Amino acid sequence: MIADVRTRRLAWIVAAVLAACRARPAPVVPGATDIAVTQVNLEPRDGEQLVVAYKVLRNNLGLRPGNVLFPARKLNEFRLAEDRRLIVGFLHYRGYFDAEVDEPKVVYAANGTSVAVTWKIHEGAQYKVGSLDIVGAPPEHAAMLRAMVPFDAGSPVDLEVYRPLRRALAERLQDEGYGHARGYSRLFVDRKKKSVAWFYYLDPGPRTRIGRIEVAGNKQVPSPKILERAGLTPGRPYSTAEKRRAELALLDTGAFASAVITTDADIMTGPPEHPDTGGLLAPEQVDANGDLVPRKLGEELALRLTVVEAPSKQLRAEVGVEADPTRIDGYVGTRAVFRNALGAQHHLVFEGNVGYGWLVRDEQDPVDGVYGSARAQYHHPGWVTRNLDLRITARWRDVIYPAAVLREITVGPGVRSTLSQHSFVDIDLGYRVGITRNLPALDAMTRAAVELPESERSDGPELTASLIADHRDDRVEPMDGWFASVRTSFAPGGAFGDNRWLQLAGDVRGFFPLKAGWSLGARVAGAAVVLADDSGVPFGPRLFGGGAWGMRGFGRDRLSPTADGFEVGGRSLVESNVELRWLPFRQFYGLTAFVDTGAAGAALDPFVDGVSAALGLGARLRTWYLPLAIDVSYRAVDHGDLGPPGLSRLLVLFRLGEAF
């Protein structure tokens, strides 16, 4: 009996699934026919020419033949009439206000099952902007707002670009503290002069301040701690820039998956309408003379801060791979986060990874090995001040270099502060123990020449600091913006430790969009180790270049001074990259072409042995979670020497993500 009931239930489920998956016919619209449209031709009237590009319009017509991306639309008299108005509107939107479209010519095939549609178009002249006025701007911001408008008298009319600027102007005023700011766009057409008078009307309202604040969505973190971190208190000035700063400050704690501040400001929210109408005006906003009547608004805004707390316990796994002809690396790792484990805003983080590096040396036996790292960290956002985060870290890691393995253990406190939306500073003070293993035997003279310590062990305190400004449009595939970082580490040596050094490093990157899908990227990075004492510079602060993330004319860590043929790192390093990127939007493929240069020195002159340069091409497979990159590089200049061509200078590099 039970088996019979289960069988019937399964049959019902299968039937329901099949019914749901069955293709359903599209609903019949008025005027629909079975007559296919084989062609849609857009032609000028006799004796005229078409200037406007109609490619975008064709895919939006009510009647069109089908292709791989867009389904066919069959003959329909109502849609045919709509298409005529659509073509006229398309031209009006681009400033052709005298445009006309004749009645369509519909030619039936001999068997009557298909038609070809031809539109005769008169574009007329494209109107120009005769004058431009911004009305209602606060005097102290008038010049700034005017600079945001990219056109002036004499520019061709383009409603698609010009109308939405009203929102950009209003949003800039909201950033400046006018929380109620709204903008409107109007144009007045002069058909005799073939021009328009363009007006942006701004209604900024008063400068706003914070009134009542409500916190919602929190369970683990009390509301007072949330407000303290956000820096929001009644009576303070309010702006959308302050709103974003507070949201990011909360997200930086790691305790929240999202943080959103909404207000009762009288502004437009949500996505802009399309096509943009220029903004709707209520009758009471326009006086008898046609002027804009400012709204009567209060200064105080009620805020609602809604948070979604991140999971109390979170486990993440990751995998990575990198390869070039001299080295292949793969690793797996995991990270466990226990949020609010020791109280509100007191987090614990544990992470580790294990990898395998297979190194190949010319004319020598290959070197390979297992390496890994582990880290335990206590994290307390809002330590001492709301914008200063404390961390205490214990870390162990193994690093495989071409000539040695470095085992490093570091324990100590650190702080982090967000200076602005895109700028961060980190400072750490730790006690470091570094042990160099498997370094080939080198005589005293060779060690002294490259300033390597006699001892394999280096103990002592180390102070590290970094300042980062990140204005890239994307962390994985940047195509616009810039990035800059400065990093330093200092070990005092002497009575406090075994070795003394000061490492200074900088990295500057810029990305310049050329056109849709195309960008030019450039990077310059350099580092130097100074203040070294007679004990030498140990592995750790020594500098190595090359590889899939650096100068791609060398394998990983192979751009380096050598001792007895082994790369041992140097005291100076310079790398630069110039890359032309073709990464079309939402496509699974891409291409790059690059030129990389680099030099490394045993002393403070990285160019003493000459500059190396490489040319290359790269292919990109841009999956959602694993952006795969393969670069083929040829080292055209090797330490200043052109030399004879050969396969030894050809490298194939593989990694996940962009080089910079």
Side-chain angles (χ1 to χ4, degrees):
M1 181 64 181
I2 294 176
D4 185 54
V5 171
R6 289 177 176 173
T7 302
R8 281 183 289 175
R9 286 180 178 175
L10 180 60
W12 277 108
I13 293 173
V14 172
V17 171
L18 293 176
C21 295
R22 187 181 59 189
R24 298 181 180 180
V28 178
V29 298
T33 70
D34 291 327
I35 301 174
V37 177
T38 57
Q39 290 184 16
V40 174
N41 303 309
L42 303 175
E43 300 177 356
R45 283 180 178 173
D46 295 342
E48 299 182 4
Q49 290 183 338
L50 297 183
V51 177
V52 179
Y54 293 89
K55 182 178 180 180
V56 175
L57 174 67
R58 289 180 181 275
N59 294 328
N60 291 290
L61 291 173
L63 302 183
R64 68 186 183 205
N67 56 40
V68 176
L69 297 177
F70 298 94
R73 290 177 176 171
K74 297 183 178 181
L75 181 64
N76 183 309
E77 293 295 331
F78 296 107
R79 284 181 170 171
L80 191 67
E82 289 174 353
D83 280 351
R84 186 181 185 188
R85 293 192 294 269
L86 183 62
I87 298 171
V88 173
F90 177 82
L91 291 168
H92 283 183
Y93 222 62
R94 284 149 182 78
Y96 293 85
F97 296 116
D98 297 331
E100 297 176 355
V101 178
D102 297 339
E103 288 286 342
K105 181 180 179 182
V106 180
V107 179
Y108 283 80
N111 58 10
T113 61
S114 64
V115 297
V117 179
T118 300
W119 297 100
K120 291 285 188 176
I121 301 172
H122 167 69
E123 292 178 341
Q126 186 179 25
Y127 282 42
K128 306 292 184 181
V129 176
S131 61
L132 169 65
D133 289 280
I134 301 178
V135 180
E140 66 273 22
H141 299 304
M144 172 193 69
L145 297 173
R146 179 61 185 85
M148 293 176 60
V149 180
F151 66 92
D152 207 335
S155 300
V157 173
D158 191 335
L159 274 66
E160 189 171 9
V161 175
Y162 299 169
R163 271 182 172 170
L165 286 173
R166 64 187 179 85
R167 288 193 66 160
L169 297 173
E171 288 166 357
R172 184 56 187 270
L173 285 175
Q174 293 166 20
D175 277 356
E176 296 295 332
Y178 294 88
H180 291 291
R182 297 185 70 169
Y184 310 91
S185 174
R186 293 293 185 271
L187 65 155
F188 301 93
V189 180
D190 187 331
R191 294 191 178 275
K192 291 183 178 180
K193 295 182 179 180
K194 308 296 182 186
S195 68
V196 301
W198 201 289
F199 286 82
Y200 289 109
Y201 295 99
L202 299 178
D203 184 5
R207 286 191 173 273
T208 46
R209 50 191 171 85
I210 300 172
R212 177 175 53 85
I213 308 175
E214 178 187 358
V215 179
N218 56 312
K219 296 179 180 178
Q220 299 291 327
V221 184
S223 296
K225 284 189 174 292
I226 293 177
L227 292 176
E228 179 183 0
R229 176 69 177 189
L232 301 175
T233 56
R236 284 194 59 180
Y238 172 83
S239 68
T240 46
E242 177 71 5
K243 157 188 147 67
R244 291 193 298 272
R245 183 209 58 75
E247 291 170 343
L248 289 172
L250 290 170
L251 294 175
D252 282 344
T253 67
F256 305 102
S258 70
V260 178
I261 297 173
T262 56
T263 74
D264 60 350
D266 183 24
I267 59 174
M268 295 186 66
T269 58
E273 65 270 21
H274 184 78
D276 195 302
T277 63
L280 299 177
L281 286 167
E284 61 270 16
Q285 288 182 264
V286 182
D287 65 14
N289 297 321
D291 296 324
L292 184 67
V293 178
R295 297 161 296 161
K296 298 185 183 300
L297 302 164
E299 296 179 356
E300 283 195 352
L301 294 179
L303 272 60
R304 179 182 175 87
L305 173 53
T306 304
V307 298
V308 176
E309 293 180 335
S312 299
K313 302 177 182 64
Q314 193 171 30
L315 180 67
R316 185 182 72 183
E318 61 183 0
V319 60
V321 64
E322 178 185 342
D324 62 56
T326 65
R327 176 168 179 167
I328 300 174
D329 275 88
Y331 73 89
V332 293
T334 185
R335 185 172 191 262
V337 181
F338 300 89
R339 296 182 176 89
N340 306 306
L342 303 179
Q345 298 288 45
H346 294 270
H347 315 313
L348 294 177
V349 179
F350 302 95
E351 62 182 344
N353 65 64
V354 60
Y356 191 90
W358 190 76
L359 285 71
V360 180
R361 300 195 59 87
D362 296 337
E363 300 177 357
Q364 299 186 36
D365 293 334
V367 179
D368 56 1
V370 177
Y371 61 93
S373 68
R375 185 182 69 149
Q377 186 178 81
Y378 160 75
H379 182 213
H380 176 37
W383 177 67
V384 181
T385 65
R386 67 175 179 82
N387 202 33
L388 189 65
D389 301 342
L390 170 70
R391 57 177 177 250
I392 299 175
T393 306
R395 186 187 69 179
W396 157 76
R397 65 170 184 161
D398 282 351
V399 183
I400 298 181
Y401 291 102
V405 177
L406 172 65
R407 172 159 292 174
E408 192 176 63
I409 301 172
T410 307
V411 179
V415 294
R416 175 184 176 87
S417 183
T418 302
L419 304 180
S420 68
Q421 181 178 350
H422 303 282
S423 302
F424 318 91
V425 61
D426 289 88
I427 301 175
D428 289 275
L429 176 62
Y431 193 86
R432 173 185 178 274
V433 177
I435 302 173
T436 304
R437 301 182 293 114
N438 300 344
L439 182 66
L442 302 173
D443 58 54
M445 185 176 297
T446 302
R447 283 180 175 270
V450 293
E451 300 188 54
L452 268 173
E454 292 291 336
S455 174
E456 293 183 347
R457 179 167 176 148
S458 174
D459 297 4
E462 181 182 16
L463 177 67
T464 63
S466 62
L467 175 63
I468 296 175
D470 192 347
H471 290 257
R472 295 173 295 177
D473 62 340
D474 189 272
R475 298 290 180 88
V476 179
E477 290 184 344
M479 299 286 281
D480 193 4
W482 59 273
F483 170 95
S485 70
V486 177
R487 185 182 184 277
T488 180
S489 68
F490 174 67
F496 299 97
D498 295 332
N499 306 93
R500 183 181 71 202
W501 75 79
L502 173 63
Q503 186 194 82
L504 303 171
D507 188 341
V508 178
R509 312 172 192 181
F511 304 92
F512 311 93
L514 304 176
K515 60 179 182 178
W518 290 86
S519 178
L520 184 67
R523 169 180 176 258
V524 178
V529 181
V530 299
L531 301 184
D533 56 18
D534 295 337
S535 62
V537 180
F539 275 78
R542 300 186 74 85
L543 304 171
F544 296 83
W549 307 98
M551 194 285 191
R552 285 164 282 187
F554 292 88
R556 179 175 171 183
D557 297 331
R558 297 302 175 94
L559 179 57
S560 159
T562 60
D564 286 352
F566 293 93
E567 293 87 351
V568 294
R571 291 182 56 194
S572 57
L573 175 70
V574 173
E575 292 180 300
S576 70
N577 315 80
V578 177
E579 190 169 272
L580 179 64
R581 297 179 175 178
W582 178 61
L583 300 173
F585 183 62
R586 289 183 178 176
Q587 298 295 327
F588 285 100
Y589 50 81
L591 296 171
T592 64
F594 58 86
V595 178
D596 292 356
T597 61
L604 296 180
D605 181 4
F607 306 108
V608 66
D609 292 329
V611 177
S612 300
L615 313 174
L617 297 173
R620 303 292 182 263
L621 179 60
R622 306 159 70 206
T623 66
W624 292 116
Y625 300 106
L626 293 174
L628 306 178
I630 299 176
D631 290 333
V632 179
S633 169
Y634 181 77
R635 191 168 66 251
V637 181
D638 189 354
H639 296 91
D641 180 18
L642 291 175
L647 291 178
S648 62
R649 297 189 177 200
L650 184 68
L651 283 83
V652 179
L653 304 101
F654 174 80
R655 68 174 175 275
L656 301 179
E658 288 302 322
F660 64 95

